[in-house]
Amino acid sequence: MSAAGETGMARIEALAAGFSERMAHGAMVLYAGMNLPSPRAAALLGLPLGAMPAMGQGAVREQPGVQDIVELENVAEQAACRVFQGGWAEVRLQSGTLANLAVYAAACRPGDLIAITPRRAGGHVSHQERGAPSILGLRTVELPFLDAQQCLDDAASAALIRRERPRLVMLGASYVPRAFDFPAIAQAAREAGALLAYDIAHVAGLVAGGAFPNPLAAGADLLTASTYKSLAGPPGGLIVGRADAAPWQARVREAVFPRMTANYDAARVAALGVSLLECERHAAGYARAMLSNARALAAALRERGLPVLPTQTHHLAIPLADADARSHELARAGIVCGAISVAGQHAPRALRLGTQLLTRRGFETADMAQVADLLARALSGDAPADALRAEVAAFMQRRATLAYC
């Protein structure tokens, strides 16, 4: 190999190791879209399970000798059905966005209309016309939103669905401070012949642990989700449908193969299966701890003068005029979070925090005062970023192993 090749390989290895070490041990990660799988699940990710394709549906595969892959898919799907109280599941997609795209492909034709959570209220890019819907030429309409309650307006959204008759209603968002009831939306979707899907990407771990209402029980036909975030699995996508939404199963399966995938990374499905089986044992305690830590952190931040919005989940939002810039400043101090649009606040953007990874690292409510102190000091700008970064790293290294595994 050339010297340039060796240098490049060494650089890749150093970048990968440095980033992994920083995110897993050194930084205080409050970013709401990150988590870590258990060591047992992570160990499966390095196996070459995707080196041999296993293309097809169910037991019928185009390649011979892949029954082990078929069986591990079945185990993962059955675990997903138990965890999310569904009748069927699809586990092969590589991201939550692809899970959403598969639902669009199953339900819609080019030019169809889908109804979504507004972008200004934290609606996810994979729901918006500029995102995944554009691949299929879909149009979007935003559902009415109640700024004061930080949730969709059920009655007004139902009226819009009856008027506009979308082909798909996609609920869910990237900022989820509370659950909301949607009986009128569900009824209107049925009357309009629309598929009702709910993207639980950020709250999947809470749903699994019984700390957030399961939308399937409230009338959604199917769920989509990212499999990391609060679920604490490997990066990937998941679709779970109600048993009485079985006709959609074949259409979703066909969208996944042959329309969207041929071969896929079966190692990720193996890791997901382990993560879902771990959920059956630990999800309830993990979900309760995420919520307890969020309440304690919110109270501690308010004590330090930060305008934290009310929350009933593990998501916190701090509206700031320069939220995006402040998130980059925090990263220089070793505190990783993001910014999100929030509706009806004094600032249209907010720092978005999530307690899922701190909780996964084993931090408890008694630790949240120090988390708030470090965050408040970093936002004040009174302490040099380098000095704070060292403090943050020392604090995070108090927990060396993952909890709820």
Side-chain angles (χ1 to χ4, degrees):
M1 181 180 291
S2 68
E6 288 289 355
T7 300
M9 292 174 74
R11 180 59 176 158
I12 288 170
E13 290 167 346
L15 288 169
F19 182 82
S20 298
E21 175 63 23
R22 187 166 64 255
M23 291 296 109
H25 300 292
M28 179 187 292
V29 179
L30 293 165
Y31 187 76
M34 183 187 169
N35 212 333
L36 295 170
S38 71
R40 192 169 184 177
L44 294 167
L45 293 173
L47 298 178
L49 302 187
M52 177 66 180
M55 296 156 51
Q57 307 289 7
V60 181
R61 301 301 165 105
E62 296 184 9
Q63 291 78 23
V66 294
Q67 279 307 115
D68 290 345
I69 303 301
V70 173
E71 186 173 351
L72 72 84
E73 285 178 17
N74 289 337
V75 172
E77 288 176 356
Q78 291 165 13
C81 288
R82 292 194 301 273
V83 167
F84 294 107
Q85 302 169 39
W88 55 272
E90 172 58 62
V91 297
R92 291 174 291 179
L93 291 159
Q94 297 293 111
S95 74
T97 291
L98 290 179
N100 289 338
L101 184 59
V103 171
Y104 304 155
C108 303
R109 293 178 295 182
D112 278 350
L113 183 69
I114 67 174
I116 63 171
T117 299
R119 182 180 179 185
R120 70 181 183 86
H124 192 256
V125 66
S126 69
H127 304 173
Q128 297 162 25
E129 197 163 326
R130 68 190 181 102
S134 68
I135 295 173
L136 299 176
L138 305 179
R139 299 174 296 118
T140 62
V141 60
E142 292 185 341
L143 295 165
F145 193 81
L146 297 170
D147 292 356
Q149 291 87 345
Q150 289 293 297
C151 67
L152 292 175
D153 185 326
D154 188 40
S157 294
L160 179 144
I161 291 165
R162 291 189 175 95
R163 182 175 68 252
E164 300 292 339
R165 301 190 69 81
R167 188 69 191 89
L168 167 71
V169 179
M170 175 62 85
L171 306 182
S174 293
Y175 171 52
V176 189
R178 57 166 294 177
F180 71 99
D181 295 324
F182 53 94
I185 289 175
Q187 179 61 33
R190 285 192 293 270
E191 292 174 9
L195 178 69
L196 179 57
Y198 200 124
D199 184 344
I200 61 167
H202 278 277
V203 295
L206 301 184
V207 174
F212 190 97
N214 188 324
L216 293 179
D221 296 305
L222 54 84
L223 304 177
T224 65
S226 301
T227 52
Y228 56 116
K229 299 175 182 166
S230 64
L231 194 63
L238 176 67
I239 304 170
V240 181
R242 286 203 326 257
D244 61 359
W248 288 106
Q249 181 180 11
R251 297 177 70 169
V252 167
R253 295 270 199 225
E254 183 181 358
V256 173
F257 176 84
R259 296 177 67 186
M260 289 177 57
T261 64
N263 190 26
Y264 72 97
D265 185 7
R268 185 199 59 79
V269 174
L272 173 60
V274 167
S275 298
L276 289 167
L277 292 168
E278 289 174 334
C279 273
E280 293 190 279
R281 182 179 299 178
H282 298 295
Y286 182 37
R288 287 194 300 269
M290 279 189 274
L291 298 186
S292 296
N293 281 342
R295 288 192 294 269
L297 179 56
L301 289 169
R302 292 189 189 106
E303 288 174 0
R304 287 154 179 80
L306 292 170
V308 183
L309 297 181
T311 185
Q312 298 173 8
T313 71
H314 69 302
H315 276 185
L316 305 179
I318 306 171
L320 297 172
D322 53 352
D324 292 88
R326 302 305 290 276
S327 69
H328 290 280
E329 293 172 8
L330 288 170
R332 287 190 284 274
I335 301 172
V336 181
C337 62
I340 192 79
S341 295
V342 289
Q345 307 304 315
H346 67 271
R349 300 279 288 175
L351 293 177
R352 182 191 62 173
L353 316 178
T355 58
Q356 74 286 342
L357 186 50
L358 282 179
T359 306
R360 182 76 156 163
R361 291 284 301 274
F363 289 95
E364 300 175 344
T365 55
D367 301 307
M368 293 303 109
Q370 190 167 352
V371 173
D373 188 60
L374 290 165
L375 180 59
R377 288 168 58 203
L379 286 172
S380 73
D382 293 339
D386 288 347
L388 264 180
R389 188 165 57 249
E391 280 192 60
V392 167
F395 173 71
M396 293 305 298
Q397 287 162 10
R398 290 166 47 185
R399 301 290 192 274
T401 59
L402 296 180
Y404 307 104
C405 298

